[in-house]
Amino acid sequence: MRLDKFLTECGVCSRREAARCARSGRVLVNGEVCRDGARHIDPEKDRVVFAGKELCYRRFVYVMLNKPAGLVSATDDARETTVLSLLPEDLRRRELFPCGRLDKDTTGLLILTDDGASAHRRLSPRHHAEKTYRFRTLPPLSAADLPVLEAGVLLDDGYRTLPCRVTADGEDGRGTITLTEGKYHQIKRMMEAVGTRIVELERVSFAGIRLDPALAPGFWRYLSPEEEALFTGEAGPDGP
Ligand code: URA
């Protein structure tokens, strides 16, 4: 990999600034000043230091975000603020994208990555990744609605949903639903199919990765190695 690309991917500078950054003399490769941005380095073996700090190369980046309401889960949008606005500049340079979409008013677990192949696999209907949401409906679901939703309901476009799991927690309309698919506005449309309406929706897990309860809405952290393995499919039989 070229040194200028490496500097950009480590979040040191933008692609445009990379050549100037190398020329500044603040970059050491294996202990020696290197001013040539075009120099090829091995990110696994060579030691690169910038401004006295050793750079740690991540081939792919995986981020857990607790999405707040009001932002769209897209990489750019002409009118709306996107979830990427919550990430620092160095991560935005990595051109991360959200793995799947949550509606603007939905909150909770969103994974952002630049690992296109794993994201594609996780989202593929063939892999049936489980997604669990906490919800509140008005009016509350009745006991009779639960088996109807679980068996699959006919949506407004004629699509019949796959079997899922639903629980209702009490009289204030709260419950959980676990799906293995992700059609457009699926949960909202499923609830409408049984005569009720979603007023709160939060994703709490995706493909075995649970929303970190220590992460306040609007905050992010890197996935742990165990979570990364769940996401990439290196954790077991659900893998590639
Ligand atoms: N189902 C919905 O209706 N909205 C979401 O954001 C996610 C699932």
Side-chain angles (χ1 to χ4, degrees):
M1 176 187 291
R2 281 174 58 124
L3 178 63
D4 46 12
K5 183 161 196 285
F6 179 88
L7 294 173
T8 306
E9 300 228 330
C10 289
V12 162
C13 54
S14 70
R15 220 163 268 172
R16 208 149 29 93
E17 294 159 352
R20 192 155 47 89
C21 184
R23 277 200 307 273
S24 72
R26 299 169 85 198
V27 180
L28 305 185
V29 177
N30 301 326
E32 286 181 12
V33 172
C34 176
R35 296 175 191 270
D36 178 10
R39 161 141 175 218
H40 278 262
I41 58 144
D42 180 341
E44 313 288 339
K45 294 201 190 112
D46 290 321
R47 250 187 98 225
V48 182
V49 172
F50 175 73
K53 222 174 110 202
E54 181 160 359
L55 301 179
C56 164
Y57 178 69
R58 291 174 185 260
R59 175 141 186 259
F60 294 120
V61 171
Y62 306 93
V63 160
M64 170 187 295
L65 172 74
N66 187 351
K67 177 190 174 299
L71 302 187
V72 293
S73 33
T75 48
D76 64 320
D77 192 289
R79 275 164 301 168
E80 307 278 2
T81 309
T82 74
V83 289
L84 290 180
S85 67
L86 298 170
L87 301 181
E89 187 62 34
D90 57 342
L91 273 181
R92 288 212 293 266
R93 282 195 197 112
R94 293 281 308 222
E95 296 178 0
L96 304 188
F97 56 86
C99 179
R101 285 191 177 226
L102 294 177
D103 295 339
K104 186 175 166 186
D105 54 356
T106 301
T107 60
L109 176 61
L110 195 61
I111 292 172
L112 295 111
T113 184
D114 50 2
D115 178 357
S118 295
H120 182 73
R121 218 166 23 242
R122 277 289 146 251
L123 293 172
S124 137
R126 206 162 57 82
H127 280 85
H128 299 290
E130 286 200 340
K131 306 153 191 79
T132 300
Y133 296 80
R134 276 203 213 107
F135 64 78
R136 191 155 90 87
T137 59
L138 273 179
L141 291 173
S142 71
D145 291 330
L146 304 186
V148 173
L149 287 166
E150 290 194 329
V153 286
L154 209 53
L155 299 183
D156 46 10
D157 57 0
Y159 176 76
R160 182 168 289 283
T161 58
L162 294 176
C164 65
R165 298 194 303 276
V166 190
T167 63
D169 299 343
E171 295 199 342
D172 67 351
R174 290 184 198 281
T176 62
I177 181 165
T178 301
L179 305 177
T180 55
E181 55 182 344
K183 303 286 177 213
Y184 179 66
H185 291 335
Q186 179 158 344
I187 298 173
K188 290 175 181 160
R189 291 158 74 213
M190 288 175 75
M191 296 303 171
E192 279 162 18
V194 295
T196 183
R197 187 170 63 85
I198 286 283
V199 290
E200 280 171 40
L201 190 59
E202 178 191 30
R203 183 155 66 188
V204 292
S205 89
F206 175 75
I209 301 165
R210 297 158 76 92
L211 177 63
D212 185 339
L215 214 52
F219 285 79
W220 66 276
R221 67 159 169 80
Y222 290 110
L223 291 192
S224 68
E226 295 75 23
E227 291 165 338
E228 266 186 31
L230 284 166
F231 185 79
T232 58
E234 280 160 24
D238 193 29

